[in-house]
Amino acid sequence: MRTKVPFFFLAPYLFLFALFWAWPILYSFYLSFLNTRVYPWRLEPAVNWGRLLQDPFFWVALKNTLFILAVQVPLMLALALLLALALNSALLRLKGFYRFAFFAPVVVGAVAYSAVFRLLFNTEFGAVNALLLALLALGYDWLYTPGPAMAVIVLALTWRWTGYNAIILLAGLQSIPRELYEAASLDGAGPWHQFWHVTLPGLRPVLVFALVLSIIGTLQLF
C-alpha cells in the first residue's frame, strides 16, 4: 500500500496531463494521417505529410531553427557559465540584486522585448545604427536582411535566457563541496586546473539539464 501512496498524489496531475497534453498531441498526430477535406475522412498519409515535405517554407524554417540551435545555444550556455562563476565569486557584493537583474529578462513578455529590440535595431532611427554611424560611419538594415536579422534574433534570445540559465548553473556551483577546491589547492592546482577538474565535472549534470532545456526551447521556435 505504501508504494501506491505517491501515485494517489500524482493522480490529479497525471489526469490533467493526459487530458490536456497527451491526448491532444496523440490525436493531432493521428489526424495528420487523415484526409479531412473529404467526408467521411480517409486514411491518406501523403495528403498532409507529402505536402509538408514539398513545402519550401518548411525546409527554410527548419534550417533557420537548426542554425539558431547550433549558434545561439552554445553561446548562451558559455555566457551563462561565465556569469554564474562571477555571481558565485566571494568578492562580489549585492549578489541578490545582480541575480535578480540578470534573471529579470525572463519575466519580460515576448511582445515587450521584441518591441525593444525592433526599436534598438531599427534601420533609420535605431540606437545601434546611430552608434555604428558615429563610430564607423556605417549602418545595417538589421531587420529586413537575412543575415543581420538572424543575428538580431540570436542576440535577443541570448539576452533573454542567459540569466535564467546562469541561475540554474549558479545553483549547481553552490552544490559543489568546498572541500574539493581546498584539496585541489593543497595539491597545487591553480584556478584554471580547479575549473577544469573540479568545477566542470561537478557541474556536468546541471549543464546537461540546462542544455536539454535550451534545446527544447529553441526547437519550439520552429
Side-chain angles (χ1 to χ4, degrees):
M1 182 62 183
R2 291 181 59 186
T3 58
K4 297 180 180 179
V5 171
F7 294 99
F8 286 110
F9 287 101
L10 287 173
Y13 167 77
L14 294 175
F15 172 75
L16 293 175
F17 176 81
L19 182 63
F20 294 107
W21 285 85
W23 168 246
I25 291 174
L26 293 174
Y27 188 63
S28 299
F29 184 68
Y30 165 71
L31 288 178
S32 69
F33 292 96
L34 301 181
N35 182 1
T36 58
R37 293 187 173 89
V38 297
Y39 187 82
W41 297 350
R42 292 199 302 264
L43 182 65
E44 296 181 20
V47 170
N48 295 313
W49 288 98
R51 189 178 64 170
L52 175 68
L53 297 177
Q54 295 172 7
D55 188 348
F57 292 105
F58 167 77
W59 294 108
V60 170
L62 182 62
K63 182 189 71 172
N64 290 337
T65 303
L66 294 177
F67 177 82
I68 294 173
L69 178 66
V71 174
Q72 188 266 335
V73 170
L75 173 65
M76 176 187 62
L77 289 180
L79 292 175
L81 179 58
L82 293 175
L83 183 57
L85 292 171
L87 292 174
N88 196 45
S89 173
L91 302 176
L92 184 67
R93 298 293 182 266
L94 301 175
K95 292 183 179 180
F97 169 77
Y98 287 113
R99 290 171 187 173
F100 170 77
F102 286 109
F103 184 81
V106 180
V107 183
V108 179
V111 174
Y113 90 88
S114 299
V116 170
F117 271 83
R118 287 190 66 183
L119 289 174
L120 286 173
F121 289 92
N122 186 279
T123 304
E124 298 177 1
F125 53 83
V128 174
N129 265 0
L131 181 63
L132 289 176
L133 288 171
L135 296 178
L136 304 174
L138 57 85
Y140 295 99
D141 187 6
W142 292 99
L143 302 180
Y144 301 103
T145 306
M150 182 65 73
V152 173
I153 293 173
V154 170
L155 286 173
L157 291 171
T158 303
W159 173 82
R160 190 179 191 198
W161 294 107
T162 297
Y164 173 82
N165 286 282
I167 298 300
I168 295 176
L169 295 178
L170 178 61
L173 282 174
Q174 294 177 342
S175 68
I176 300 176
R178 301 303 305 173
E179 292 81 3
L180 296 178
Y181 291 100
E182 294 173 1
S185 180
L186 290 174
D187 287 340
W192 186 248
H193 287 89
Q194 291 182 26
F195 173 76
W196 279 105
H197 299 289
V198 179
T199 303
L200 278 185
L203 269 183
R204 187 177 293 116
V206 183
L207 275 171
V208 172
F209 175 73
L211 176 63
V212 171
L213 285 183
S214 301
I215 290 175
I216 293 172
T218 302
L219 290 178
Q220 288 178 341
L221 290 173
F222 179 84

